[in-house]
């Protein structure tokens, strides 16, 4: 960080800042300019409380140089490729991955509702080229009287669908107590937008070995998002995928505003793969296809899309679910976009 002194700050005030820097075990380099003095702090100040300097007399501002996250940052590596299965326990011949040349498509219903619904959708999305099957068994619902998901019964159906199709199962875990149970059936643990800052849950999924799909909180900044990822990474699980799923704004033509600039920005500052969810990201099935194309064009490493065989009767999120036929058309259209940006689908 750089501590910028106010114009007219006294040598004693500068001295005080220098002492604080040294107390933190860091080095200082004072630069006396014609109008200002600045104290450049040398060393890893990432884990120090930078705000301490802001209220010190004579200090105008503190300019951070290092991002507050480290393991999620580009300092670690340029790009990460995350397998869609627990590579430790399920070695597969051709493991689907997120972050390589191929854009990974994860599709399925918002919620697992029953066996025939799930299997029909799973086979259809597999046929059209998906590598992962989504489906919530534990649903985070705003209204406590709404369908809450099938819980373990839903997880069992997801396992049957995997058995039949070979698709990697992605499903949400809502609480620390569910991590073990969901991990028994799922290939990828999804941490939902509403839980992005559930730090106990982040730590718990960081302490197990299944890959994690972390959704951006609906009012989280990208820095908060990456710090949430850092929780998981710092607990030892390096298989983290970031998912942009739209943020809350004043707009009402959509359910959420899909912030697609987050894709190249996250790639600029982090090595983690980025997945886009155009379903929660718009809330409207008629906007999903265009946003899939835009996401691939923007460099998304994967898409997670809600597909339902009977959207009008879906128990959750029918309005944003596309049909298997629409899914097939979408796949054809993103193949052309992917080729244009040197990717495959
Ligand atoms: C979902 O994927 O159905 C879901 C609830 O997502 P989010 O956490 O992004 O709202
Ligand atoms: Mn949903």
């Amino acid at each position: 960080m750089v501590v910028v002194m106010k114009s007219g700050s006294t040598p004693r005030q500068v001295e005080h800042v220098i002492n604080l820097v040294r107390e933190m075990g860091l080095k200082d380099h004072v630069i006396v300019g014609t109008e200002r003095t600045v104290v450049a702090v040398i060393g890893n100040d990432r884990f120090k409380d930078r705000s301490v300097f802001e209220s010190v007399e004579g200090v105008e501002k503190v300019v951070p140089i290092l991002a507050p996250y480290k393991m999620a940052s580009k300092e670690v590596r340029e790009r990460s490729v995350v397998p869609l299965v627990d590579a430790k326990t399920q070695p597969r011949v051709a493991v689907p991955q997120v972050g390589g040349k191929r854009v990974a498509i994860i599709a399925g219903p918002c919620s697992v509702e029953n066996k025939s619904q799930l299997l029909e959708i799973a086979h259809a999305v597999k046929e059209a080229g998906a590598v992962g099957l989504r489906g919530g068994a534990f649903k985070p619902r705003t209204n406590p009287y709404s369908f809450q998901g099938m819980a373990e019964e839903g997880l069992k159906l997801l396992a049957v669908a995997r058995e039949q199709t070979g698709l990697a199962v992605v499903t949400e875990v809502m609480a620390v107590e569910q991590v073990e149970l969901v991990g028994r059936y799922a290939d990828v643990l999804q941490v939902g937008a509403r839980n992005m800052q559930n730090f106990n849950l982040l730590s718990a999924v960081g302490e197990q070995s299944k890959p994690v799909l972390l959704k951006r909180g609906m009012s989280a900044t990208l820095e908060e998002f990456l710090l949430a990822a850092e929780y998981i990474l710092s607990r030892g699980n390096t298989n983290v995928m970031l998912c942009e799923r739209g943020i809350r704004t004043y707009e009402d033509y959509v359910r959420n505003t899909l912030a697609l600039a987050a894709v190249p920005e996250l790639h600029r500052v982090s090595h983690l793969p980025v997945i886009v969810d155009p379903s929660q990201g718009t809330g409207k099935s008629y906007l999903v296809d265009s946003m899939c194309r835009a996401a691939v064009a923007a460099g998304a490493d994967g898409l997670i899309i809600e597909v339902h065989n009977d959207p009008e009767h879906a128990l959750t999120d029918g309005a944003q679910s596309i049909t298997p036929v629409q899914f097939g058309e979408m796949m054809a259209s993103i193949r052309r976009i992917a080729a244009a940006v040197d990717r495959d689908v």
Side-chain angles (χ1 to χ4, degrees), residues 109-111 134 136 139-141 172 190 194 215 245 255 277 279-280 306 316-318 320-321:
C110 176
S111 301
R134 63 148 292 146
K139 294 303 302 176
R141 305 307 304 284
E172 179 159 355
Q190 174 175 324
R194 292 155 190 82
K215 292 196 148 196
R245 47 77 73 206
R255 177 180 179 195
D277 178 343
S279 309
Q280 328 301 320
E306 288 183 347
T316 58
D317 287 351
Q320 65 193 36
S321 299

